[in-house]
């Protein structure tokens, strides 16, 4: 203290400042630079909930004015108010309900979000357009704006961060986490188009789960939105949203706007229940709903403790794993819930050595070696996939996956699965043969086979696979018919046929050939395409087709073209003769030897004309038993019309065919004459 006594007259003030600076009381730059007393105690909070303000004072120790402020503030009571407490600004307005304004009592409602002076108490008389400033300042702790934590203190709007500190600029992320990185929720957006009908008057647009935030839906069209809710306790509710307004649905605020051509729904969240947004049919036109919201990721990966050591002595290893955890129910659930969120990244297992002490002499000495070099880590092994459960239309195949361990000598043994959990387990089920099954495809009907009266018409029905290729495998029970009767209204001037006239080529023959054509298989084979149209409109012409050597690649279910020499067996013909009917209604006369080049020889020409039975002669007797002889004609097989008998091979004419007829007995007086007539008629 001796040095202090010899100090200059200004020393006591400097010494006092030194003591203040060296004290353990926290001081600001203003404290060190000014001549202030210590800060006093904090006042009582201006509110008991919902965020209020508390202040602390200090005294200036100088006879002159001190630089800086003599009051400081901090937030307090940062807990949510109960729902029945109501809005703080509304409470301040309602306090003036029993005070006359210009000689009249009013019920006052708050006017919020005033951009010019958010910290004045402006209120509106209920049921009128009267807006009055009832106080220049709202009470400390009143929110400046409804959607902000900023609060009014001493009539000034002060910035408040999500950490509830004055002057803080820290904000919540879209998931509602203060100073978060947005990893605890995911953005969901989409569009829904109504598919309502007379039997389906409502439909679900989207399910928005508990805890979601920043929800916005816009419906455009004649339909109407309505809400269904389900709380975590299982209580269900419904709201029809019939008019514009702000509603409280299961403690969640819903802002709904009903406009002439659209409806808008907003919910800030977090939702206190699961919301299911639906639409109800209200008009003939379709409606479209666009929606966007942030959905919380309620299932997260959680790392487990280390599993038991793989060895009791001599050096082993142990692993951690990860389990899927439900943040709402605080319990472990199946891994598939965490796999649903692509933002979730499963932590990799950790591996460490353990029980490194040597084994007792009785157990032998176990040398400790690096497992990643000399002793391979346990690994997953899988059996081959089973055959697919379905050949088409989507099936499944499975396999067995087990954890195995290989010792130094190369012996492989099965071990507990947890030892392999440091790597993902291979899938044990997978989809297969997801392509569509073959289905019947009917072509257009042919023209009717007659120009008057009753005839037939044909169509080609093919079995088509998912690549559009002609194949097999369609169910015969579901095959559409390829022939049906048809009637031409034009009257015929000739005897009416008892049966419909069969089809002329090329329709009938083409239908048969296409249906009986070869299908692509896993063995190289010749696959012919359909015959082209005949090169002429009457007389004799040719038809051509493409014949390819193809193979079915089973793995990719695709067809590949191969060189011709890869296919075994004779290659189907790529050209053949065709006859398009007589020209100028004349029956042609052909010399088979002169048609060799066109028809490919006599054999092809013979195949164009052949003998056929056409009905029977009249019965030789009217009673007592007679006979009928089959009529044999030379027929053009393509036009199905009779031809000159010289065009058919005589040696191939079918044998005589007889059948009995008129078997009813004759009267007694005529039996002998009838029998004789029958023999005479046949030349017996």
């Amino acid at each position: 203290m001796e040095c202090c006594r010899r100090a200059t007259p200004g020393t006591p003030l400097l010494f006092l400042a030194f003591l203040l600076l060296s004290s353990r009381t926290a001081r600001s730059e203003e404290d060190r630079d000014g001549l202030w007393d210590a800060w006093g105690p904090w006042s009582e909070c201006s509110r008991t909930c919902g965020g209020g303000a508390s202040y602390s004072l200090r005294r200036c120790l100088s006879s002159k004015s001190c630089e800086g402020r003599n009051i400081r503030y901090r937030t307090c009571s940062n807990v949510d108010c109960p729902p029945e407490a109501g809005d703080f600004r509304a409470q301040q307005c309602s306090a003036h309900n029993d005070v006359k304004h210009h000689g009249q009592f009013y019920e006052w409602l708050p006017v919020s979000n005033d951009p010019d002076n958010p910290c004045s108490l402006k209120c509106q008389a209920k049921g009128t357009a009267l807006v009055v400033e009832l106080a220049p300042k709202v009470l400390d702790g009143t929110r400046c704006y409804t959607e902000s934590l900023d609060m009014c203190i001493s009539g000034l709007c002060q910035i408040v961060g999500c950490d509830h500190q004055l002057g803080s600029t820290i904000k919540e992320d879209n998931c509602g986490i203060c100073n978060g990185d947005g990893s605890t929720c995911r953005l969901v957006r989409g569009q829904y188009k109504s598919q309502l009908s007379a039997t389906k008057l409502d439909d679900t647009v989207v399910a928005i789960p508990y805890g979601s935030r920043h929800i916005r839906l816009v419906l455009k069209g004649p339909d109407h939105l309505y809400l269904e809710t389900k709380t975590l306790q299982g209580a269900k509710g419904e709201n029809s949203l019939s008019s514009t307004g702000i509603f409280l649905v299961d403690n969640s605020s819903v802002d709904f706007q009903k406009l002439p051509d659209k409806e808008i729904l907003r919910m800030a969240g977090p939702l206190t229940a699961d919301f299911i947004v639906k639409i109800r049919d209200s008009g003939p036109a379709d409606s479209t709903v666009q929606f966007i919201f942030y959905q919380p990721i309620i299932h997260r990966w959680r790392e487990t403790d280390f599993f038991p050591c793989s060895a009791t002595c001599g050096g082993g290893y142990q692993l951690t794993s990860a389990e899927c955890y439900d943040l709402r129910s605080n319990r472990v659930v199946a891994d598939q819930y965490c796999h649903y969120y692509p933002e979730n990244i499963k932590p990799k297992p950790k591996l460490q050595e353990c029980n490194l002490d040597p084994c007792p002499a009785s157990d032998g000495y176990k040398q400790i070696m690096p497992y990643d070099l000399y002793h391979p880590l346990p690994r997953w092994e899988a059996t081959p996939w089973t055959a697919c459960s379905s050949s088409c239309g989507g099936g499944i195949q499975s396999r067995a996956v087990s954890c195995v361990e290989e010792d130094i000598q190369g012996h492989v043994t099965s071990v507990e699965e947890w030892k392999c959990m440091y790597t993902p387990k291979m899938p044990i089920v997978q989809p297969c043969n997801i392509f569509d099954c073959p289905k019947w495809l009917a072509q257009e009907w042919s023209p009717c086979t007659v120009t008057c009266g009753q005839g037939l018409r044909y169509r080609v029905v093919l079995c088509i696979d998912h690549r559009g290729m002609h194949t097999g495998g369609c169910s015969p029970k579901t095959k559409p018919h390829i022939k049906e009767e048809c009637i031409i209204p034009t009257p015929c001037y000739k005897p009416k046929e008892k049966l419909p006239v069969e089809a002329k080529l090329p329709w009938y023959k083409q239908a048969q050939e296409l249906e009986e054509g070869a299908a692509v298989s896993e063995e190289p084979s010749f696959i012919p395409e359909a015959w082209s149209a005949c090169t002429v409109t009457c007389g004799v012409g040719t038809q051509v087709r493409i014949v390819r050597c193809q193979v079915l690649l089973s793995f990719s279910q695709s067809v590949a073209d191969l060189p011709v020499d890869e296919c075994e067996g004779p290659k189907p013909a790529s050209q053949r003769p065709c006859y398009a009917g007589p020209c100028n209604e004349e029956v042609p006369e052909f010399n088979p030897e002169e048609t060799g080049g066109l028809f490919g020889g006599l054999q092809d020409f013979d195949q164009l004309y052949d003998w056929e039975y056409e009905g029977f002669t009249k019965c030789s007797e009217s009673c007592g038993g007679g006979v009928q002889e089959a009529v044999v004609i030379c027929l053009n097989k393509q036009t199905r019309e009779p031809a000159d008998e010289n065009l058919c091979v005589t040696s191939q004419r079918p044998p005589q065919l007889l059948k009995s007829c008129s078997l009813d007995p004759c009267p007694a007086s005529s039996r002998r004459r009838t029998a004789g007539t029958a023999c005479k008629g046949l030349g017996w």
Side-chain angles (χ1 to χ4, degrees), residues 96-142:
H96 293 263
N97 289 351
D98 55 358
V99 179
K100 286 186 177 181
H101 178 75
H102 295 309
Q104 186 176 349
F105 290 105
Y106 294 98
E107 182 180 347
W108 298 102
L109 301 176
V111 176
S112 303
N113 304 323
D114 182 1
D116 298 325
N117 191 1
C119 291
S120 65
L121 183 62
K122 289 185 178 180
C123 307
Q124 181 177 359
K126 186 176 181 181
T128 72
L130 178 62
V131 176
V132 179
E133 184 181 282
L134 298 180
K137 299 179 183 179
V138 292
L139 297 179
D140 288 351
T142 305

Side-chain angles (χ1 to χ4, degrees), residues 412-443:
V412 178
T413 56
S414 296
V415 294
E416 300 90 339
E417 283 200 351
W418 64 263
K419 293 186 177 182
C420 290
M421 293 302 291
Y422 66 94
T423 58
K425 186 176 181 179
M426 294 182 287
I428 60 174
V429 176
Q430 72 175 12
C432 52
N433 293 345
I434 58 176
F435 50 86
D436 293 336
C437 291
K439 55 187 177 183
W440 295 111
L441 178 65
Q443 308 271 341

